[in-house]
Amino acid sequence: MPFHNSVVLNCLKYLTGKNMAKVKVTQVKSTISRPKDQKATIVALGLGKINKSVEVENTPQIAGMIRKVSHLVKVEEA
């Protein structure tokens, strides 16, 4: 099941105003045999091992990073 379905896209929308939504990002696939930019994005998100999760504020920058590695991560609203 691909993770870039409508649920993930809804999670990637960010709130306007002072309170940004938080999303929980979990790495579900390895970065072995992936391009350097994808590996660097995983590290920048605070991930690096399979099943590791982080909660991050859903800014446009983070949404772009998640979109770039959407095939390696699972995204849930926090």
Side-chain angles (χ1 to χ4, degrees), residues 11-44:
C11 290
L12 293 177
K13 291 180 182 175
Y14 59 94
L15 297 176
T16 57
K18 295 178 183 175
N19 296 329
M20 289 289 196
K22 287 217 172 220
V23 291
K24 181 178 178 183
V25 183
T26 305
Q27 184 176 349
V28 294
K29 287 190 177 180
S30 173
T31 57
I32 295 174
S33 299
R34 301 293 177 183
K36 287 182 181 181
D37 60 336
Q38 291 179 10
K39 290 180 182 183
T41 303
I42 289 288
V43 171

Side-chain angles (χ1 to χ4, degrees), residues 1-76:
M1 177 176 153
F3 294 111
H4 47 81
N5 56 20
S6 63
V7 174
V8 172
L9 293 177
N10 286 336
C11 290
L12 293 177
K13 291 180 182 175
Y14 59 94
L15 297 176
T16 57
K18 295 178 183 175
N19 296 329
M20 289 289 196
K22 287 217 172 220
V23 291
K24 181 178 178 183
V25 183
T26 305
Q27 184 176 349
V28 294
K29 287 190 177 180
S30 173
T31 57
I32 295 174
S33 299
R34 301 293 177 183
K36 287 182 181 181
D37 60 336
Q38 291 179 10
K39 290 180 182 183
T41 303
I42 289 288
V43 171
L45 284 170
L47 302 171
K49 293 185 177 185
I50 296 176
N51 291 327
K52 183 171 181 181
S53 297
V54 293
E55 281 191 17
V56 292
E57 288 198 9
N58 196 7
T59 63
Q61 294 82 9
I62 296 294
M65 293 168 74
I66 292 171
R67 201 173 298 115
K68 184 171 191 169
V69 293
S70 64
H71 56 289
L72 303 175
V73 298
K74 177 176 71 170
V75 181
E76 303 166 332

